[in-house]
Short mmCIF file of all heavy atoms in Angstrom, two decimals:
data_model
loop_
_atom_site.label_atom_id
_atom_site.label_comp_id
_atom_site.label_asym_id
_atom_site.label_seq_id
_atom_site.Cartn_x
_atom_site.Cartn_y
_atom_site.Cartn_z
N ASP A 230 72.92 113.16 81.78
CA ASP A 230 72.16 114.38 81.71
C ASP A 230 72.93 115.66 81.41
O ASP A 230 72.46 116.64 81.48
CB ASP A 230 71.28 114.62 83.08
CG ASP A 230 70.10 113.67 83.22
OD1 ASP A 230 69.76 112.92 82.16
OD2 ASP A 230 69.55 113.73 84.30
N VAL A 231 74.33 115.54 81.18
CA VAL A 231 75.11 116.56 80.85
C VAL A 231 75.68 116.40 79.39
O VAL A 231 76.14 115.36 79.09
CB VAL A 231 76.36 116.63 81.78
CG1 VAL A 231 77.22 117.71 81.45
CG2 VAL A 231 75.84 116.69 83.27
N ASN A 232 75.57 117.48 78.59
CA ASN A 232 75.91 117.40 77.24
C ASN A 232 77.27 118.23 77.17
O ASN A 232 77.38 119.45 77.40
CB ASN A 232 74.92 118.26 76.42
CG ASN A 232 75.16 118.29 74.88
OD1 ASN A 232 76.11 117.69 74.40
ND2 ASN A 232 74.22 118.80 74.13
N PHE A 233 78.33 117.35 76.78
CA PHE A 233 79.68 117.96 76.67
C PHE A 233 80.02 118.41 75.30
O PHE A 233 81.22 118.66 75.13
CB PHE A 233 80.60 116.90 77.25
CG PHE A 233 80.50 116.72 78.73
CD1 PHE A 233 80.00 115.50 79.22
CD2 PHE A 233 80.92 117.59 79.61
CE1 PHE A 233 79.88 115.25 80.57
CE2 PHE A 233 80.92 117.49 81.01
CZ PHE A 233 80.27 116.24 81.49
N ALA A 234 79.10 118.49 74.43
CA ALA A 234 79.42 118.87 73.04
C ALA A 234 80.07 120.17 72.98
O ALA A 234 81.16 120.31 72.24
CB ALA A 234 78.17 118.85 72.17
N ASP A 235 79.68 121.17 73.72
CA ASP A 235 80.27 122.49 73.65
C ASP A 235 81.56 122.48 74.40
O ASP A 235 82.47 123.29 73.98
CB ASP A 235 79.31 123.51 74.30
CG ASP A 235 78.11 123.68 73.44
OD1 ASP A 235 78.18 124.15 72.23
OD2 ASP A 235 76.92 123.57 74.06
N VAL A 236 81.79 121.63 75.36
CA VAL A 236 83.01 121.59 75.99
C VAL A 236 84.08 121.13 75.07
O VAL A 236 85.11 121.46 75.02
CB VAL A 236 82.98 120.62 77.19
CG1 VAL A 236 84.37 120.51 77.87
CG2 VAL A 236 81.94 121.17 78.24
N GLN A 237 83.73 120.14 74.24
CA GLN A 237 84.79 119.61 73.28
C GLN A 237 85.14 120.51 72.11
O GLN A 237 86.24 120.57 71.71
CB GLN A 237 84.09 118.33 72.64
CG GLN A 237 83.94 117.10 73.68
CD GLN A 237 83.20 115.94 73.02
OE1 GLN A 237 82.65 116.01 71.95
NE2 GLN A 237 83.08 114.85 73.93
N SER A 238 84.12 121.36 71.83
CA SER A 238 84.37 122.37 70.68
C SER A 238 85.07 123.65 71.27
O SER A 238 85.54 124.31 70.39
CB SER A 238 83.05 122.68 70.11
OG SER A 238 82.21 123.22 70.86
N ALA A 239 85.11 123.81 72.54
CA ALA A 239 85.70 125.05 73.10
C ALA A 239 87.22 124.92 72.92
O ALA A 239 87.79 123.87 72.89
CB ALA A 239 85.30 125.18 74.51
N SER A 240 87.82 126.22 72.63
CA SER A 240 89.30 126.38 72.42
C SER A 240 90.06 126.10 73.73
O SER A 240 89.35 126.13 74.92
CB SER A 240 89.64 127.59 71.81
OG SER A 240 89.29 128.67 72.79
N GLY A 241 91.31 125.71 73.72
CA GLY A 241 92.05 125.45 74.89
C GLY A 241 92.35 126.55 75.80
O GLY A 241 92.11 126.68 76.98
N ILE A 242 92.85 127.63 75.08
CA ILE A 242 93.20 128.91 75.78
C ILE A 242 92.66 130.16 74.96
O ILE A 242 92.76 130.19 73.79
CB ILE A 242 94.75 129.06 76.04
CG1 ILE A 242 95.15 128.10 76.91
CG2 ILE A 242 94.98 130.43 76.57
CD1 ILE A 242 96.72 128.02 77.06
N GLU A 243 92.05 131.06 75.67
CA GLU A 243 91.43 132.20 74.84
C GLU A 243 91.39 133.44 75.86
O GLU A 243 90.87 133.28 77.06
CB GLU A 243 90.00 131.98 74.34
CG GLU A 243 89.56 133.07 73.57
CD GLU A 243 88.18 132.72 72.91
OE1 GLU A 243 87.98 131.53 72.81
OE2 GLU A 243 87.42 133.60 72.59
N LEU A 244 91.84 134.61 75.44
CA LEU A 244 91.94 135.72 76.33
C LEU A 244 90.47 136.35 76.24
O LEU A 244 89.80 136.47 75.32
CB LEU A 244 93.01 136.69 76.02
CG LEU A 244 94.50 136.18 76.02
CD1 LEU A 244 95.46 137.25 75.62
CD2 LEU A 244 94.75 135.74 77.50
N VAL A 245 90.10 136.99 77.44
CA VAL A 245 88.93 137.78 77.49
C VAL A 245 89.25 139.20 76.95
O VAL A 245 90.19 139.75 77.44
CB VAL A 245 88.42 137.81 78.97
CG1 VAL A 245 87.24 138.85 79.11
CG2 VAL A 245 87.89 136.52 79.57
N THR A 246 88.36 139.58 76.00
CA THR A 246 88.74 140.89 75.32
C THR A 246 87.53 141.81 75.57
O THR A 246 86.42 141.44 75.82
CB THR A 246 88.81 140.76 73.90
OG1 THR A 246 87.67 140.04 73.26
CG2 THR A 246 90.05 139.89 73.59
N PRO A 247 87.79 143.20 75.64
CA PRO A 247 86.69 144.11 75.80
C PRO A 247 85.82 144.05 74.69
O PRO A 247 85.97 143.71 73.66
CB PRO A 247 87.35 145.44 75.85
CG PRO A 247 88.83 145.16 76.15
CD PRO A 247 89.08 143.78 75.41
N PHE A 248 84.51 144.56 75.02
CA PHE A 248 83.44 144.94 73.91
C PHE A 248 83.15 143.56 73.18
O PHE A 248 83.00 143.66 71.95
CB PHE A 248 83.80 146.06 73.08
CG PHE A 248 84.25 147.23 73.85
CD1 PHE A 248 85.40 147.85 73.51
CD2 PHE A 248 83.50 147.71 74.93
CE1 PHE A 248 85.80 148.93 74.27
CE2 PHE A 248 83.90 148.79 75.65
CZ PHE A 248 84.98 149.40 75.31
N HIS A 249 83.11 142.44 73.78
CA HIS A 249 82.85 141.24 73.06
C HIS A 249 81.54 141.22 72.38
O HIS A 249 81.33 140.64 71.26
CB HIS A 249 82.86 139.93 73.97
CG HIS A 249 82.56 138.67 73.40
ND1 HIS A 249 83.44 137.87 72.71
CD2 HIS A 249 81.38 137.95 73.39
CE1 HIS A 249 82.91 136.89 72.27
NE2 HIS A 249 81.60 136.75 72.61
N PHE A 250 80.49 141.82 73.01
CA PHE A 250 79.21 141.94 72.41
C PHE A 250 78.88 143.17 71.61
O PHE A 250 77.68 143.41 71.15
CB PHE A 250 78.17 141.68 73.45
CG PHE A 250 78.17 140.38 74.13
CD1 PHE A 250 78.86 140.25 75.38
CD2 PHE A 250 77.56 139.33 73.60
CE1 PHE A 250 78.93 138.98 76.11
CE2 PHE A 250 77.51 138.12 74.35
CZ PHE A 250 78.27 138.02 75.42
N GLY A 251 80.03 143.95 71.34
CA GLY A 251 79.77 145.17 70.64
C GLY A 251 79.99 146.39 71.60
O GLY A 251 80.14 146.36 72.81
N MET A 252 80.04 147.58 70.98
CA MET A 252 80.30 148.88 71.74
C MET A 252 79.13 149.06 72.68
O MET A 252 77.94 148.77 72.34
CB MET A 252 80.51 149.98 70.84
CG MET A 252 81.77 149.81 69.95
SD MET A 252 83.19 149.74 71.00
CE MET A 252 83.35 151.30 71.69
N PRO A 253 79.39 149.62 73.83
CA PRO A 253 78.33 149.89 74.80
C PRO A 253 77.32 150.88 74.25
O PRO A 253 77.62 151.70 73.59
CB PRO A 253 79.11 150.47 76.11
CG PRO A 253 80.53 150.07 75.91
CD PRO A 253 80.76 150.01 74.25
N ILE A 254 76.11 150.81 74.86
CA ILE A 254 75.03 151.77 74.54
C ILE A 254 74.75 152.50 75.85
O ILE A 254 74.52 151.97 76.86
CB ILE A 254 73.76 151.05 74.02
CG1 ILE A 254 74.09 150.39 72.81
CG2 ILE A 254 72.61 152.04 73.97
CD1 ILE A 254 72.80 149.47 72.34
N PHE A 255 74.89 153.82 75.73
CA PHE A 255 74.69 154.76 76.90
C PHE A 255 73.16 155.26 76.98
O PHE A 255 72.92 156.29 76.46
CB PHE A 255 75.62 155.82 77.04
CG PHE A 255 77.02 155.22 76.98
CD1 PHE A 255 77.86 155.04 75.90
CD2 PHE A 255 77.52 154.94 78.26
CE1 PHE A 255 78.95 154.67 76.04
CE2 PHE A 255 78.92 154.46 78.28
CZ PHE A 255 79.68 154.26 77.19
N ASP A 256 72.22 154.53 77.57
CA ASP A 256 70.86 155.03 77.72
C ASP A 256 70.68 155.61 79.06
O ASP A 256 71.03 155.08 80.10
CB ASP A 256 69.96 153.81 77.56
CG ASP A 256 68.47 154.05 77.80
OD1 ASP A 256 67.96 154.66 76.78
OD2 ASP A 256 67.98 153.94 78.88
N PRO A 257 70.08 156.81 79.04
CA PRO A 257 69.83 157.70 80.31
C PRO A 257 69.15 156.96 81.41
O PRO A 257 69.63 156.91 82.51
CB PRO A 257 69.01 158.94 79.79
CG PRO A 257 69.51 159.07 78.42
CD PRO A 257 69.63 157.64 77.96
N ALA A 258 68.05 156.22 81.12
CA ALA A 258 67.24 155.52 82.10
C ALA A 258 68.00 154.34 82.66
O ALA A 258 67.93 154.02 83.80
CB ALA A 258 65.94 154.99 81.48
N ALA A 259 68.78 153.65 81.71
CA ALA A 259 69.55 152.46 82.25
C ALA A 259 70.64 152.94 83.12
O ALA A 259 71.00 152.34 84.16
CB ALA A 259 70.13 151.76 80.90
N ILE A 260 71.26 154.08 82.71
CA ILE A 260 72.44 154.70 83.57
C ILE A 260 71.84 154.97 84.95
O ILE A 260 72.47 154.84 86.02
CB ILE A 260 73.19 155.88 82.86
CG1 ILE A 260 73.78 155.30 81.58
CG2 ILE A 260 74.00 156.63 83.91
CD1 ILE A 260 74.21 156.50 80.78
N ALA A 261 70.68 155.70 84.93
CA ALA A 261 70.11 156.16 86.25
C ALA A 261 69.75 154.83 87.19
O ALA A 261 70.09 154.89 88.42
CB ALA A 261 68.79 156.87 86.05
N SER A 262 69.32 153.85 86.50
CA SER A 262 68.92 152.62 87.25
C SER A 262 70.21 151.99 87.92
O SER A 262 70.17 151.53 88.96
CB SER A 262 68.27 151.65 86.47
OG SER A 262 69.00 151.09 85.43
N MET A 263 71.33 151.99 87.01
CA MET A 263 72.56 151.43 87.64
C MET A 263 73.17 152.32 88.73
O MET A 263 73.86 151.78 89.48
CB MET A 263 73.61 151.18 86.44
CG MET A 263 74.48 150.16 86.71
SD MET A 263 74.03 148.55 87.10
CE MET A 263 73.32 147.90 85.59
N MET A 264 72.95 153.52 88.55
CA MET A 264 73.53 154.49 89.64
C MET A 264 72.90 154.14 91.00
O MET A 264 73.54 154.14 91.93
CB MET A 264 73.24 155.86 89.21
CG MET A 264 74.20 156.35 88.13
SD MET A 264 73.89 158.15 87.76
CE MET A 264 74.49 159.00 89.25
N VAL A 265 71.46 153.82 90.91
CA VAL A 265 70.90 153.46 92.12
C VAL A 265 71.51 152.17 92.75
O VAL A 265 71.73 152.00 93.92
CB VAL A 265 69.36 153.18 91.96
CG1 VAL A 265 68.77 152.76 93.27
CG2 VAL A 265 68.72 154.60 91.59
N VAL A 266 71.82 151.18 91.91
CA VAL A 266 72.28 149.87 92.24
C VAL A 266 73.81 150.22 92.89
O VAL A 266 74.02 149.61 94.04
CB VAL A 266 72.50 149.09 91.01
CG1 VAL A 266 73.45 147.87 91.43
CG2 VAL A 266 71.30 148.45 90.50
N LEU A 267 74.58 151.01 92.34
CA LEU A 267 75.86 151.26 92.82
C LEU A 267 75.88 152.02 94.17
O LEU A 267 76.65 151.78 95.06
CB LEU A 267 76.83 152.24 91.81
CG LEU A 267 77.08 151.32 90.55
CD1 LEU A 267 78.03 152.20 89.76
CD2 LEU A 267 77.85 150.08 90.97
#
Side-chain angles (χ1 to χ4, degrees):
D230 286 354
V231 181
N232 184 355
F233 290 107
D235 291 302
V236 178
Q237 295 172 354
S238 62
S240 58
I242 297 178
E243 184 178 337
L244 299 180
V245 175
T246 55
F248 311 129
H249 175 81
F250 296 97
M252 295 302 293
I254 297 175
F255 298 97
D256 178 78
I260 293 171
S262 66
M263 200 59 72
M264 287 180 67
V265 174
V266 167
L267 289 185

